[in-house]
Amino acid sequence: MIFFSLSLSFSAMADVVLNEQQRAYLAELGPVKMCVDPDWEPYERLLPNGDFVGIAADLIRLVAQRVDVELSVYPTDDWNHSLQAAQAGDCHILAFLNKTEARSQWLLFTEPYFNDPNVFITHQNHEYIPNPAGLVDKVVVLPKGTSIEEFVRRTYPNLALKVVDTERDAVAMVEQKKADMTIRSLTMAAFTIRQQGLFNLKVSGLLPNFDNNFRIGVLQSEPELREILDLGVASLTPQEIQEALNRHVSISVYQGIDYSLAFKTSFFFILCLVLFLYWNKHLKKLNNELSKQDLLLKEKVNEKTELVAALNLTRLKLENALKEEHEARLEQQQFMRMVTHEFRTPLTVIQTGFELLALQTDPEQKAKTLKKQSQATSQLIELVNNALVQDRFENSAWRQHSEWIETEEVMRSLKAYADTICSKSFMIDIQVESKKFLGDKQLLLIALNNLVDNAVKYSPQGGTLQLGASSFEQGVLFRVKDQGIGIPLEQQPTIFGKYQRGVVEGVSGFGLGLYIVQRIVHLHNGRIELISAEGKGSEFKLWLPLE
């Protein structure tokens, strides 16, 4: 049995009522010239006497009758001649064709009025074709100028394509085994095989994603004509379409009963049924074996896929580790160059101071020299501390020194450090609220000492240095506030970066202090806040959780 998929409209069979503008347009246009395929049975054909016959002929006459359009067939030699005539404007419409991108460049299309799937026609011994994309070294022959040719070239480059002049030539090449297959509509396949008695051919599968949605093609210069014809297409009923199909693709029924033939047919049917059941059982057995093999194959593929993924992940981790090691080595080299350069200045001051002390006898001059040596020693201690902290960061060792700390104990140490480095006449204001929290005391003091160092470096003589420790709901808050030069607004977003520092005459350093402060605060799961304005001093707030 053959099943057809038809695009059906359920409009009434009455003639379509056109408006005054549409009737005026048709009167001015006159007879509509129509180009057809002169040799495309059972769809359309021109007889020697000029009569237009076929499925398309019957349906388009109904469409023209419903909308009161007068049709005139423009005779051509073949389909390519019809396409050329339409492109040249010799005819207004093409009666029966598929819509394609190339044709849409110069044609308008009505809604489909006859749908038909495309199938593969092959020799009887050809296997079923479930997916054309899996075919290898297969030759497909097609009539030239068809929409299927355009679709196959674009969608299935794996198929070798041959083009011939007519449908008959295409089918003949398959029948003579000069090509593996052709692709035609199901109606055309059934008609050709039955009419020409080509029972060594068969339908071996459907062409996916490309049914024939036959329409009327209208020149782009005539959009009103397309709208009118669409009204006629919408008026076609399912019965009318089926009747047109049956008139041209029919099955003859002979009267009378041949009992011997009926017996032979029944015996043949039973034999076929037995063979079918046996073969079906055999196929199930083969299918079970195939399923087992397929499962094993999938397991092996999954194993190999997982192995490849693991290898890729390992390679990626190794590449990242090598990259990080290379970057760390470059950073270490840069750090060592900076440290070496920065160490040279305070060491030179200390060495020169000792030489001057040996020569000086004036107590006042000796006091000044000792003061410079003390400042250089403090600078050297700061550099060493920052270098040690940087090393501890790289080794992630801070948690080994975590302990419960009293805020009062921290502030006493911070006050002592501030008194030591405050060579200028500073007032130190300390406010402490007793609180215990969990942290690394040594790292925390380094962070606070760095903030005090910066406050002293960048503050004028005679200012007030405010140090504070208080509690809030989730932890403790340390504050270091000065009345110094402040930090410009444009520098604040990057001030905590590595090797970032303000350029101030007479103030040395290599930009690790605030970077280390931020790292220490983050290691304590805290946050740091900066409040500063140029010329109005700076305040750093360290918010640390209790644990």
Side-chain angles (χ1 to χ4, degrees):
M1 297 183 67
I2 300 175
F3 296 91
F4 296 95
S5 172
L6 305 178
S7 175
L8 304 179
S9 170
F10 293 91
S11 303
M13 295 178 59
D15 292 347
V16 176
V17 179
L18 301 181
N19 59 38
E20 183 177 348
Q21 182 180 354
Q22 290 170 331
R23 290 196 299 272
Y25 165 78
L26 290 177
E28 183 181 354
L29 182 65
V32 174
K33 295 180 182 179
M34 175 174 62
C35 285
V36 301
D37 190 333
D39 187 18
W40 196 21
E41 288 188 288
Y43 295 131
E44 53 183 353
R45 182 186 176 193
L46 281 180
L47 298 178
N49 62 1
D51 287 345
F52 180 40
V53 297
I55 299 171
D58 293 352
L59 294 177
I60 202 167
R61 284 195 187 94
L62 283 175
V63 170
Q65 179 184 345
R66 301 281 166 75
V67 293
D68 198 21
V69 169
E70 182 182 352
L71 295 178
S72 173
V73 177
Y74 184 88
T76 57
D77 299 329
D78 54 32
W79 176 240
N80 285 321
H81 187 186
S82 294
L83 289 174
Q84 293 167 5
Q87 284 182 303
D90 295 334
C91 51
H92 299 98
I93 66 173
L94 288 159
F96 198 70
L97 76 171
N98 278 305
K99 179 180 179 180
T100 68
E101 291 182 7
R103 293 171 180 173
S104 296
Q105 299 298 317
W106 56 283
L107 284 177
L108 302 172
F109 290 91
T110 66
E111 291 299 315
Y113 65 97
F114 189 87
N115 287 4
D116 201 3
N118 286 300
V119 296
F120 290 93
I121 302 175
T122 68
H123 253 267
Q124 283 287 352
N125 57 355
H126 198 286
E127 68 276 6
Y128 173 70
I129 302 172
N131 183 6
L135 297 175
V136 179
D137 299 329
K138 296 293 184 181
V139 177
V140 179
V141 59
L142 296 172
K144 62 183 177 182
T146 61
S147 58
I148 296 179
E149 177 189 349
E150 182 181 336
F151 175 76
V152 171
R153 288 188 187 278
R154 182 179 66 252
T155 310
Y156 300 108
N158 56 300
L159 297 176
L161 201 60
K162 285 187 177 181
V163 178
V164 294
D165 291 330
T166 66
E167 297 270 358
R168 288 188 179 87
D169 294 339
V171 175
M173 286 190 68
V174 177
E175 202 259 340
Q176 297 166 15
K177 295 189 176 180
K178 294 180 180 179
D180 295 294
M181 62 192 71
T182 186
I183 304 172
R184 306 313 304 144
S185 69
L186 184 57
T187 300
M188 174 63 68
F191 178 83
T192 302
I193 292 174
R194 179 183 64 82
Q195 186 190 51
Q196 299 182 23
L198 303 176
F199 299 112
N200 58 341
L201 301 183
K202 69 173 183 178
V203 174
S204 294
L206 290 173
L207 178 66
N209 302 319
F210 191 79
D211 286 353
N212 292 296
N213 298 307
F214 292 117
R215 311 164 187 257
I216 304 172
V218 185
L219 293 183
Q220 286 193 349
S221 60
E222 305 296 336
E224 297 91 340
L225 180 58
R226 191 269 301 271
E227 292 179 4
I228 293 171
L229 292 174
D230 256 333
L231 295 174
V233 168
S235 72
L236 294 176
T237 66
Q239 293 79 8
E240 290 169 337
I241 297 173
Q242 187 64 48
E243 287 171 2
L245 177 64
N246 291 339
R247 275 194 294 271
H248 298 279
V249 183
S250 59
I251 299 175
S252 300
V253 179
Y254 298 93
Q255 299 296 326
I257 300 175
D258 186 345
Y259 290 101
S260 62
L261 180 60
F263 175 76
K264 293 176 182 178
T265 303
S266 300
F267 177 78
F268 178 74
F269 174 77
I270 294 172
L271 179 61
C272 289
L273 180 60
V274 172
L275 291 175
F276 171 77
L277 293 175
Y278 170 77
W279 184 247
N280 188 55
K281 182 178 180 182
H282 180 65
L283 285 179
K284 285 184 178 179
K285 182 178 179 182
L286 292 177
N287 189 56
N288 290 336
E289 292 295 327
L290 184 61
S291 298
K292 292 179 182 178
Q293 294 298 323
D294 183 60
L295 184 60
L296 291 174
L297 181 60
K298 286 182 179 178
E299 290 177 354
K300 291 181 179 180
V301 169
N302 289 337
E303 290 175 0
K304 290 184 178 180
T305 302
E306 292 174 358
L307 179 60
V308 170
L311 290 174
N312 288 336
L313 182 60
T314 302
R315 176 180 59 79
L316 184 61
K317 289 181 178 179
L318 181 59
E319 290 176 354
N320 290 337
L322 291 173
K323 182 179 178 181
E324 291 175 1
E325 182 182 357
H326 177 68
E327 292 175 352
R329 188 181 300 112
L330 291 178
E331 185 174 326
Q332 187 178 26
Q333 292 173 355
Q334 180 185 7
F335 179 72
M336 290 306 298
R337 285 195 295 269
M338 294 183 66
V339 168
T340 303
H341 173 76
E342 295 294 333
F343 275 23
R344 188 178 293 116
T345 300
L347 287 173
T348 302
V349 172
I350 293 171
Q351 182 181 10
T352 304
F354 280 121
E355 293 173 356
L356 291 175
L357 283 174
L359 299 175
Q360 290 173 345
T361 57
D362 184 3
E364 185 176 347
Q365 292 295 328
K366 284 187 176 182
K368 289 181 179 180
T369 302
L370 286 172
K371 181 179 178 181
K372 290 182 179 180
Q373 285 180 298
S374 175
Q375 292 174 344
T377 303
S378 297
Q379 182 181 356
L380 192 60
I381 290 171
E382 178 190 353
L383 293 172
V384 171
N385 282 339
N386 287 338
L388 292 175
V389 172
Q390 178 70 7
D391 181 66
R392 288 186 66 183
F393 286 157
E394 298 299 330
N395 292 283
S396 301
W398 81 274
R399 291 188 181 278
Q400 298 176 6
H401 306 290
S402 184
E403 59 182 324
W404 285 101
I405 309 169
E406 287 274 5
T407 53
E408 294 177 338
E409 182 182 357
V410 173
M411 297 306 293
R412 281 196 299 270
S413 299
L414 188 61
K415 173 66 167 57
Y417 181 73
D419 289 337
T420 302
I421 67 170
C422 284
S423 59
K424 304 174 186 178
S425 55
F426 276 95
M427 287 184 62
I428 301 177
D429 178 18
I430 295 187
Q431 298 177 356
V432 184
E433 181 180 341
S434 180
K435 191 78 172 181
K436 273 190 176 183
F437 66 100
L438 190 63
D440 188 317
K441 180 181 177 182
Q442 181 183 0
L443 285 180
L444 186 59
L445 282 174
I446 290 174
L448 293 169
N449 289 345
N450 278 342
L451 293 178
V452 171
D453 280 332
N454 283 348
V456 173
K457 285 180 184 178
Y458 297 104
S459 296
Q461 194 169 2
T464 300
L465 178 63
Q466 297 180 2
L467 307 177
S470 59
S471 63
F472 66 100
E473 184 178 353
Q474 293 85 12
V476 295
L477 167 65
F478 289 96
R479 297 170 52 253
V480 177
K481 183 176 182 181
D482 62 56
Q483 297 175 333
I485 62 175
I487 301 172
L489 186 63
E490 65 272 11
Q491 294 182 11
Q492 292 182 20
T494 60
I495 198 67
F496 292 102
K498 188 181 286 189
Y499 310 127
Q500 300 291 324
R501 57 183 296 271
V503 180
V504 179
E505 185 178 357
V507 179
S508 62
F510 52 92
L512 273 180
L514 290 180
Y515 167 74
I516 288 175
V517 171
Q518 186 186 52
R519 286 292 303 272
I520 291 173
V521 171
H522 286 173
L523 286 173
H524 282 78
N525 295 320
R527 62 183 177 90
I528 186 169
E529 180 183 355
L530 167 62
I531 303 173
S532 181
E534 195 169 2
K536 297 183 180 180
S538 301
E539 180 179 10
F540 290 87
K541 294 182 178 182
L542 277 58
W543 305 82
L544 304 177
L546 294 179
E547 297 184 14

PDB file of all heavy atoms in Angstrom, residues 320-336:
ATOM      1  N   ASN A 320      49.446  24.230  33.325  1.00  0.00           N
ATOM      2  CA  ASN A 320      49.184  25.324  34.263  1.00  0.00           C
ATOM      3  C   ASN A 320      50.247  25.391  35.361  1.00  0.00           C
ATOM      4  O   ASN A 320      50.676  26.480  35.753  1.00  0.00           O
ATOM      5  CB  ASN A 320      47.798  25.158  34.888  1.00  0.00           C
ATOM      6  CG  ASN A 320      46.683  25.395  33.891  1.00  0.00           C
ATOM      7  OD1 ASN A 320      46.876  26.068  32.890  1.00  0.00           O
ATOM      8  ND2 ASN A 320      45.506  24.839  34.148  1.00  0.00           N
ATOM      9  N   ALA A 321      50.657  24.190  35.846  1.00  0.00           N
ATOM     10  CA  ALA A 321      51.690  24.162  36.885  1.00  0.00           C
ATOM     11  C   ALA A 321      53.007  24.723  36.361  1.00  0.00           C
ATOM     12  O   ALA A 321      53.693  25.496  37.044  1.00  0.00           O
ATOM     13  CB  ALA A 321      51.882  22.727  37.381  1.00  0.00           C
ATOM     14  N   LEU A 322      53.373  24.336  35.135  1.00  0.00           N
ATOM     15  CA  LEU A 322      54.606  24.860  34.539  1.00  0.00           C
ATOM     16  C   LEU A 322      54.513  26.369  34.333  1.00  0.00           C
ATOM     17  O   LEU A 322      55.486  27.101  34.561  1.00  0.00           O
ATOM     18  CB  LEU A 322      54.880  24.158  33.203  1.00  0.00           C
ATOM     19  CG  LEU A 322      55.267  22.675  33.297  1.00  0.00           C
ATOM     20  CD1 LEU A 322      55.350  22.063  31.906  1.00  0.00           C
ATOM     21  CD2 LEU A 322      56.598  22.516  34.024  1.00  0.00           C
ATOM     22  N   LYS A 323      53.313  26.818  33.889  1.00  0.00           N
ATOM     23  CA  LYS A 323      53.133  28.253  33.692  1.00  0.00           C
ATOM     24  C   LYS A 323      53.243  29.000  35.019  1.00  0.00           C
ATOM     25  O   LYS A 323      53.904  30.044  35.100  1.00  0.00           O
ATOM     26  CB  LYS A 323      51.765  28.501  33.059  1.00  0.00           C
ATOM     27  CG  LYS A 323      51.488  29.969  32.773  1.00  0.00           C
ATOM     28  CD  LYS A 323      50.118  30.119  32.125  1.00  0.00           C
ATOM     29  CE  LYS A 323      49.805  31.614  31.867  1.00  0.00           C
ATOM     30  NZ  LYS A 323      48.466  31.783  31.268  1.00  0.00           N
ATOM     31  N   GLU A 324      52.588  28.451  36.064  1.00  0.00           N
ATOM     32  CA  GLU A 324      52.658  29.096  37.378  1.00  0.00           C
ATOM     33  C   GLU A 324      54.088  29.099  37.919  1.00  0.00           C
ATOM     34  O   GLU A 324      54.539  30.084  38.514  1.00  0.00           O
ATOM     35  CB  GLU A 324      51.727  28.372  38.350  1.00  0.00           C
ATOM     36  CG  GLU A 324      50.242  28.570  38.038  1.00  0.00           C
ATOM     37  CD  GLU A 324      49.353  27.738  38.937  1.00  0.00           C
ATOM     38  OE1 GLU A 324      49.919  27.020  39.806  1.00  0.00           O
ATOM     39  OE2 GLU A 324      48.119  27.796  38.783  1.00  0.00           O
ATOM     40  N   GLU A 325      54.794  27.979  37.700  1.00  0.00           N
ATOM     41  CA  GLU A 325      56.190  27.912  38.169  1.00  0.00           C
ATOM     42  C   GLU A 325      57.048  28.945  37.446  1.00  0.00           C
ATOM     43  O   GLU A 325      57.884  29.616  38.060  1.00  0.00           O
ATOM     44  CB  GLU A 325      56.738  26.510  37.930  1.00  0.00           C
ATOM     45  CG  GLU A 325      58.177  26.337  38.430  1.00  0.00           C
ATOM     46  CD  GLU A 325      58.717  24.947  38.143  1.00  0.00           C
ATOM     47  OE1 GLU A 325      57.954  24.127  37.627  1.00  0.00           O
ATOM     48  OE2 GLU A 325      59.896  24.711  38.432  1.00  0.00           O
ATOM     49  N   HIS A 326      56.807  29.075  36.119  1.00  0.00           N
ATOM     50  CA  HIS A 326      57.578  30.053  35.352  1.00  0.00           C
ATOM     51  C   HIS A 326      57.278  31.474  35.836  1.00  0.00           C
ATOM     52  O   HIS A 326      58.210  32.282  36.031  1.00  0.00           O
ATOM     53  CB  HIS A 326      57.224  29.914  33.867  1.00  0.00           C
ATOM     54  CG  HIS A 326      57.911  30.919  32.982  1.00  0.00           C
ATOM     55  ND1 HIS A 326      59.268  30.900  32.754  1.00  0.00           N
ATOM     56  CD2 HIS A 326      57.407  31.982  32.285  1.00  0.00           C
ATOM     57  CE1 HIS A 326      59.594  31.913  31.955  1.00  0.00           C
ATOM     58  NE2 HIS A 326      58.490  32.571  31.653  1.00  0.00           N
ATOM     59  N   GLU A 327      55.975  31.763  36.053  1.00  0.00           N
ATOM     60  CA  GLU A 327      55.609  33.096  36.524  1.00  0.00           C
ATOM     61  C   GLU A 327      56.169  33.360  37.919  1.00  0.00           C
ATOM     62  O   GLU A 327      56.630  34.472  38.215  1.00  0.00           O
ATOM     63  CB  GLU A 327      54.086  33.238  36.525  1.00  0.00           C
ATOM     64  CG  GLU A 327      53.474  33.249  35.138  1.00  0.00           C
ATOM     65  CD  GLU A 327      51.964  33.267  35.168  1.00  0.00           C
ATOM     66  OE1 GLU A 327      51.405  33.115  36.288  1.00  0.00           O
ATOM     67  OE2 GLU A 327      51.336  33.431  34.093  1.00  0.00           O
ATOM     68  N   ALA A 328      56.124  32.321  38.788  1.00  0.00           N
ATOM     69  CA  ALA A 328      56.675  32.480  40.135  1.00  0.00           C
ATOM     70  C   ALA A 328      58.175  32.737  40.094  1.00  0.00           C
ATOM     71  O   ALA A 328      58.713  33.547  40.861  1.00  0.00           O
ATOM     72  CB  ALA A 328      56.377  31.231  40.965  1.00  0.00           C
ATOM     73  N   ARG A 329      58.870  32.024  39.169  1.00  0.00           N
ATOM     74  CA  ARG A 329      60.321  32.220  39.054  1.00  0.00           C
ATOM     75  C   ARG A 329      60.629  33.647  38.596  1.00  0.00           C
ATOM     76  O   ARG A 329      61.541  34.303  39.128  1.00  0.00           O
ATOM     77  CB  ARG A 329      60.904  31.211  38.072  1.00  0.00           C
ATOM     78  CG  ARG A 329      62.436  31.227  38.040  1.00  0.00           C
ATOM     79  CD  ARG A 329      62.999  30.235  37.037  1.00  0.00           C
ATOM     80  NE  ARG A 329      62.602  28.880  37.359  1.00  0.00           N
ATOM     81  CZ  ARG A 329      61.771  28.169  36.628  1.00  0.00           C
ATOM     82  NH1 ARG A 329      61.243  28.680  35.529  1.00  0.00           N
ATOM     83  NH2 ARG A 329      61.451  26.936  36.968  1.00  0.00           N
ATOM     84  N   LEU A 330      59.854  34.132  37.599  1.00  0.00           N
ATOM     85  CA  LEU A 330      60.070  35.499  37.124  1.00  0.00           C
ATOM     86  C   LEU A 330      59.777  36.512  38.239  1.00  0.00           C
ATOM     87  O   LEU A 330      60.522  37.487  38.423  1.00  0.00           O
ATOM     88  CB  LEU A 330      59.163  35.781  35.922  1.00  0.00           C
ATOM     89  CG  LEU A 330      59.490  35.024  34.633  1.00  0.00           C
ATOM     90  CD1 LEU A 330      58.467  35.368  33.557  1.00  0.00           C
ATOM     91  CD2 LEU A 330      60.903  35.368  34.149  1.00  0.00           C
ATOM     92  N   GLU A 331      58.675  36.240  38.991  1.00  0.00           N
ATOM     93  CA  GLU A 331      58.335  37.153  40.082  1.00  0.00           C
ATOM     94  C   GLU A 331      59.398  37.130  41.177  1.00  0.00           C
ATOM     95  O   GLU A 331      59.748  38.162  41.746  1.00  0.00           O
ATOM     96  CB  GLU A 331      56.973  36.762  40.640  1.00  0.00           C
ATOM     97  CG  GLU A 331      56.459  37.718  41.692  1.00  0.00           C
ATOM     98  CD  GLU A 331      55.046  37.371  42.121  1.00  0.00           C
ATOM     99  OE1 GLU A 331      54.272  36.895  41.270  1.00  0.00           O
ATOM    100  OE2 GLU A 331      54.740  37.577  43.304  1.00  0.00           O
ATOM    101  N   GLN A 332      59.915  35.931  41.454  1.00  0.00           N
ATOM    102  CA  GLN A 332      60.955  35.824  42.479  1.00  0.00           C
ATOM    103  C   GLN A 332      62.211  36.578  42.051  1.00  0.00           C
ATOM    104  O   GLN A 332      62.847  37.255  42.861  1.00  0.00           O
ATOM    105  CB  GLN A 332      61.273  34.342  42.716  1.00  0.00           C
ATOM    106  CG  GLN A 332      62.238  34.114  43.885  1.00  0.00           C
ATOM    107  CD  GLN A 332      62.495  32.633  44.107  1.00  0.00           C
ATOM    108  OE1 GLN A 332      62.376  31.849  43.185  1.00  0.00           O
ATOM    109  NE2 GLN A 332      62.851  32.269  45.319  1.00  0.00           N
ATOM    110  N   GLN A 333      62.563  36.439  40.762  1.00  0.00           N
ATOM    111  CA  GLN A 333      63.731  37.159  40.270  1.00  0.00           C
ATOM    112  C   GLN A 333      63.532  38.664  40.379  1.00  0.00           C
ATOM    113  O   GLN A 333      64.441  39.398  40.800  1.00  0.00           O
ATOM    114  CB  GLN A 333      64.008  36.768  38.815  1.00  0.00           C
ATOM    115  CG  GLN A 333      64.480  35.329  38.647  1.00  0.00           C
ATOM    116  CD  GLN A 333      64.582  34.927  37.197  1.00  0.00           C
ATOM    117  OE1 GLN A 333      64.213  35.686  36.302  1.00  0.00           O
ATOM    118  NE2 GLN A 333      65.079  33.716  36.945  1.00  0.00           N
ATOM    119  N   GLN A 334      62.326  39.127  40.012  1.00  0.00           N
ATOM    120  CA  GLN A 334      62.024  40.551  40.115  1.00  0.00           C
ATOM    121  C   GLN A 334      62.082  41.003  41.571  1.00  0.00           C
ATOM    122  O   GLN A 334      62.643  42.059  41.890  1.00  0.00           O
ATOM    123  CB  GLN A 334      60.653  40.835  39.529  1.00  0.00           C
ATOM    124  CG  GLN A 334      60.249  42.300  39.589  1.00  0.00           C
ATOM    125  CD  GLN A 334      58.825  42.536  39.104  1.00  0.00           C
ATOM    126  OE1 GLN A 334      58.104  41.577  38.845  1.00  0.00           O
ATOM    127  NE2 GLN A 334      58.423  43.779  38.985  1.00  0.00           N
ATOM    128  N   PHE A 335      61.514  40.173  42.467  1.00  0.00           N
ATOM    129  CA  PHE A 335      61.510  40.509  43.889  1.00  0.00           C
ATOM    130  C   PHE A 335      62.935  40.595  44.434  1.00  0.00           C
ATOM    131  O   PHE A 335      63.279  41.518  45.175  1.00  0.00           O
ATOM    132  CB  PHE A 335      60.697  39.464  44.647  1.00  0.00           C
ATOM    133  CG  PHE A 335      60.647  39.699  46.134  1.00  0.00           C
ATOM    134  CD1 PHE A 335      59.905  40.743  46.648  1.00  0.00           C
ATOM    135  CD2 PHE A 335      61.348  38.879  47.007  1.00  0.00           C
ATOM    136  CE1 PHE A 335      59.845  40.952  48.019  1.00  0.00           C
ATOM    137  CE2 PHE A 335      61.291  39.098  48.365  1.00  0.00           C
ATOM    138  CZ  PHE A 335      60.544  40.132  48.884  1.00  0.00           C
ATOM    139  N   MET A 336      63.769  39.631  44.062  1.00  0.00           N
ATOM    140  CA  MET A 336      65.147  39.621  44.576  1.00  0.00           C
ATOM    141  C   MET A 336      65.928  40.832  44.067  1.00  0.00           C
ATOM    142  O   MET A 336      66.740  41.415  44.797  1.00  0.00           O
ATOM    143  CB  MET A 336      65.854  38.330  44.162  1.00  0.00           C
ATOM    144  CG  MET A 336      65.328  37.085  44.877  1.00  0.00           C
ATOM    145  SD  MET A 336      65.339  37.259  46.689  1.00  0.00           S
ATOM    146  CE  MET A 336      67.100  37.482  46.998  1.00  0.00           C
TER     147      MET A 336
END
